Structure formats: C-alpha cells, structure tokens
C-alpha cells in the first residue's frame, strides 16, 4: 500500500491569489516527499472554485517535478473531451521527459455540465469522446507514423514529439465514480483504476477486478482511492480544524454540480442527477463514520489503512492499493508528529 497527496483547489481569486495557492502547494509537495509520500496528484477543472485553479494538471506537476526527486506525478485526471489528442500526447511525453520518467497519467470523462456547456460540447458525447481520445493518445505515445480515423479527430502518418521516456508509455489510470461501465472498461483494457468514491465503492471495484481477470491480465489490477484526511493528537481539535476546509470543499462541489441537482440529465451520466443531489447531505461526521474522511488522532488514522488492507486480504485480493489524501493533512503536520503510515 502506498500513500500520496492530492491537490484539489477549492478556492478562487476572492479567497486566495493564484500565486499564493501555487507557492503553498509546491511547498507541501516538497514536504510530502520528505515525509515519504510516494505521489502527488492534481485535477483538471475550469471556471469555478471547484478545481478552477487547476485547468492544466501538467503545468502544476511540471513545477512539482522541479521541486522533488522521487515523487511520482499523477494527473488526476486529464480530460480528453476538452483537449486535442495532439496536445495531450505532446504534453504527457514532455512532462515524462522533464521528470525523468516519474509521470502516471489519469484520464477522466469530466462530469460537470457547466464545463461541457462552456466548451460547447454535449455531455451525451462524453463516452464516445473519452474513448476515442484515449485510444488516439495511447496510439500517439506508443507508435510513430500513427494514423487514426475518428468521429471527432482524425490524423495520418503523425509522429508525436517528444517520445515518452517511460516505454512503451507512462502508466494509465482511468478515473471512475459510479458508472459500472467505466470500471469494467478500465479492467478490460488493463488500465489502473482511479476510484473516486461518492457512494459504496466495493462492488464497483470488484467489477473492475472481474473485467481485469476476464480479459486475461495477470493479477487483479491496481486501484487508487482518494480520501479527505487530517491528523491531530487531540481528537476533538482534529475535527474542529478539519471541519471548515471540508465544508468549503463540499460547498464548492455542490455549487459546481448545481446543474445536475436542478434536473440536468444525460444518457452518458446515468443517475447523476440523483447522486449529485445526495452530496448536499454530506457532513464531516458522516464521512468520518463511513470512511470517506480520515480525521482524528494518529492511532485513529493509522487504523484506517490497516483495516482496509485487512479487508483486501480477507477478500482474497492482491490488488496493489494507492491512497491519495488531501494535501491539507501535510500542511498541518507540525501540529502532529504523525500522519498515515504504511502497513508493513
């Protein structure tokens, strides 16, 4: 089991300047590496305080690569639906080279109606654009003189430069939230899974593992799951300190998904109108109880990954597991000597 940090901005220019946000985040990334965390991950979102300070994860991770030496750099995730495959393939290989081969690439479909609307793209094209874009990016990274005829983009005899440092390409993750087909797709293609839990995640991960095995891939795949986390030697203070940023994040999220909550529907996002409305009921205490937030004393938090590892073993799974936790847990480290430790 490995642990990393996730940078998911929930601020805008009225809260904090971009310069301050990036300076603080880069300092946290450096400290995370010093503390033994294995990876740093960030998102791609636009226009609102929910992720809007990270419109290009490649740019931020390039800066991280120059402040660190061993930290893996994870896009969590880039969005093919809003990017030309030439652009993403080139940027991915460029960062892979700049970092000396430390890049892992997570891909996602996007899920916010306001982003689709502002880019002038229908959410009903989400699956088709995602799968075509992913196929074309992989082709460009793994083959020279590549040719592909697609519905949205086509090209002939193209060699994307630079070529990847990791061969045949960096590791690919597929981000999935609640659509079963996304979990099955990741497993069948042999991609690692970037699970984003907003409800029961166990059955969906099992779908991924079944699809992985059915496709003949060795083992059970690889899963990364993200949690909110804050550690303090005093259990009461841990909750008091964590509550405002947790609530700020979910306030930003609920604002960003407002179109779903107001009744927007799409054939590519089955039941998102219902699940996004449920987010309004999320509280810190409820997320702690359900395991969606790791907040408490060092002993309380260390029990979380140990319990998860035990559950994995009891299910007969050997799936490598990565956990990404909120970068806020590192920024407050000096209040507590312990964050999460790896099970031995």
């Amino acid at each position: 089991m490995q642990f990393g940090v996730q940078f998911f901005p929930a601020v805008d220019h009225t809260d904090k300047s971009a310069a301050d946000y990036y300076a603080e985040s880069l300092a946290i990334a450096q400290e995370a590496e010093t503390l033994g965390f294995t990876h740093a991950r960030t998102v791609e979102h636009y226009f609102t305080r929910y992720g809007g300070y990270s419109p290009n994860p490649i740019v931020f991770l390039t800066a991280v690569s120059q402040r660190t030496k061993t930290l893996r750099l994870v896009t969590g995730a880039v969005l093919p639906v809003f990017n030309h495959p030439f652009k993403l393939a080139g940027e991915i290989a460029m960062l892979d080279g700049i970092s000396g081969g430390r890049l892992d690439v997570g891909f996602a479909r996007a899920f916010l109606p306001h982003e689709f609307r502002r880019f002038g793209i229908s959410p009903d094209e989400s699956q088709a654009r995602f799968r075509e874009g992913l196929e074309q990016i992989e082709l460009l990274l793994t083959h020279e003189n590549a040719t592909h005829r697609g519905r949205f983009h086509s090209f002939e005899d193209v060699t994307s430069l630079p070529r990847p440092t990791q061969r045949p390409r960096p590791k690919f993750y597929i981000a999935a939230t609640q659509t079963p087909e996304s979990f099955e797709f990741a497993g069948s293609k042999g991609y690692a899974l970037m699970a984003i839990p907003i409800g029961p995640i166990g059955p969906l991960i099992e779908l991924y593992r079944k699809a992985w095995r059915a496709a003949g891939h060795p083992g059970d795949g690889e899963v990364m799951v993200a949690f909110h986390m804050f550690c303090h030697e005093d259990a009461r203070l841990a909750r008091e300190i964590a509550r405002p940023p947790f609530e700020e994040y979910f306030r930003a999220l609920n604002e960003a998904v407002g179109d779903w909550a107001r009744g927007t529907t799409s054939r590519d996002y089955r039941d998102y109108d219902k699940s996004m409305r449920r987010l309004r009921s999320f509280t810190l205490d409820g997320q702690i109880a359900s395991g969606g937030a790791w907040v408490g004393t060092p002993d309380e938090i260390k029990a979380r990954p140990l319990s998860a590892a035990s559950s994995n073993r009891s299910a007969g799974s050997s799936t490598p597991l990565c956990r990404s936790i909120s970068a806020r847990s590192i920024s407050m480290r000096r209040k507590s000597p312990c964050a999460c430790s790896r099970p031995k």
Side-chain angles (χ1 to χ4, degrees):
M1 186 182 294
Q2 298 176 346
F3 293 93
V5 291
Q6 172 164 321
F7 296 90
F8 200 124
V11 296
D12 67 12
H13 59 289
T14 65
D15 306 310
K16 179 177 292 189
S17 74
D20 285 346
Y21 171 77
Y22 301 132
E24 292 171 6
S25 296
L26 291 171
I28 290 170
Q30 284 183 278
E31 187 169 4
E33 180 177 70
T34 300
L35 292 171
F37 287 82
T38 62
H39 61 275
R41 162 181 163 184
T42 195
V43 298
E44 178 179 338
H45 279 299
Y46 299 87
F47 311 123
T48 73
R49 61 167 33 94
Y50 182 74
Y53 267 21
S54 187
N56 189 333
I58 298 287
V59 172
F60 176 76
L61 293 174
T62 299
V64 173
S65 77
Q66 301 306 290
R67 301 286 193 96
T68 59
K69 296 185 182 300
T70 62
L71 211 62
R72 299 294 299 179
L73 311 167
V74 185
T75 66
V78 292
L79 307 177
V81 67
F82 300 143
N83 293 277
H84 195 287
F86 289 172
K87 177 177 180 290
L88 278 181
E91 290 181 348
I92 287 167
M94 189 174 180
L95 174 52
D96 199 36
I98 289 172
S99 67
R102 287 190 279 144
L103 176 63
D104 298 325
V105 190
F107 295 89
R109 283 199 293 140
F111 75 104
L112 297 175
H114 79 84
E115 292 181 344
F116 282 96
R117 184 174 63 252
R118 286 163 169 152
F119 275 98
I121 294 171
S122 170
D124 291 338
E125 296 176 352
S126 169
Q127 282 278 18
R129 284 182 177 273
F130 173 76
R131 295 196 180 188
E132 177 183 299
L134 180 64
E135 182 178 348
Q136 291 179 337
I137 292 163
E138 182 163 23
L139 180 66
L140 288 163
L141 289 172
T142 55
H143 292 79
E144 300 181 26
N145 309 111
T147 296
H148 192 282
R149 304 292 181 190
R151 174 181 166 190
F152 305 103
H153 298 103
S154 296
F155 49 86
E156 183 174 353
D157 194 25
V158 171
T159 297
S160 180
L161 295 177
R163 305 305 299 157
T165 296
Q166 298 175 87
R167 295 304 179 98
R169 56 158 174 78
K171 182 190 297 182
F172 280 9
Y173 283 88
I174 301 300
T177 300
Q178 68 179 53
T179 305
E181 292 82 0
S182 295
F183 288 82
E184 292 172 330
F185 170 76
S188 67
K189 292 292 187 180
Y191 299 134
L193 178 67
M194 187 176 284
I196 304 169
I198 61 172
I201 199 71
L204 294 169
I205 291 177
E206 186 54 35
L207 279 180
Y208 164 76
R209 290 170 175 159
K210 286 181 179 178
W212 177 283
R213 293 190 292 265
H217 303 300
D220 279 332
E222 182 175 332
V223 179
M224 178 184 290
V225 186
F227 299 89
H228 299 271
M229 183 273 207
F230 185 80
C231 182
H232 195 288
E233 60 263 31
D234 184 295
R236 181 186 60 81
L237 281 177
R239 287 155 177 79
E240 283 187 10
I241 295 170
R243 196 175 306 279
F246 179 92
E247 292 175 349
E248 288 169 11
Y249 170 83
F250 273 95
R251 188 178 303 112
L253 172 57
N254 280 307
E255 290 172 358
V257 303
D259 292 305
W260 293 122
R262 288 187 289 271
T264 295
T265 59
S266 167
R267 64 171 179 261
D268 279 6
Y269 293 90
R270 190 169 61 250
D271 295 328
Y272 264 61
D273 54 327
K274 299 173 184 175
S275 62
M276 294 299 120
R277 280 197 293 268
R278 287 199 299 270
L279 291 175
R280 294 179 175 179
S281 65
F282 280 20
T283 65
L284 176 62
D285 295 322
Q287 286 296 290
I288 293 172
S290 68
W294 297 1
V295 177
T297 66
D299 287 341
E300 288 176 319
I301 290 175
K302 283 192 288 187
R304 291 287 189 180
L306 289 169
S307 175
S310 176
S311 297
N312 251 15
R313 287 192 294 270
S314 66
S317 168
S318 59
T319 307
L321 189 64
C322 295
R323 308 245 171 193
S324 292
I325 61 177
S326 164
R328 293 186 183 97
S329 63
I330 307 300
S331 65
M332 297 300 293
R333 181 213 174 213
R334 289 179 181 83
K335 290 184 175 291
S336 173
C338 175
C340 284
S341 60
R342 252 181 244 185
K344 301 294 185 183

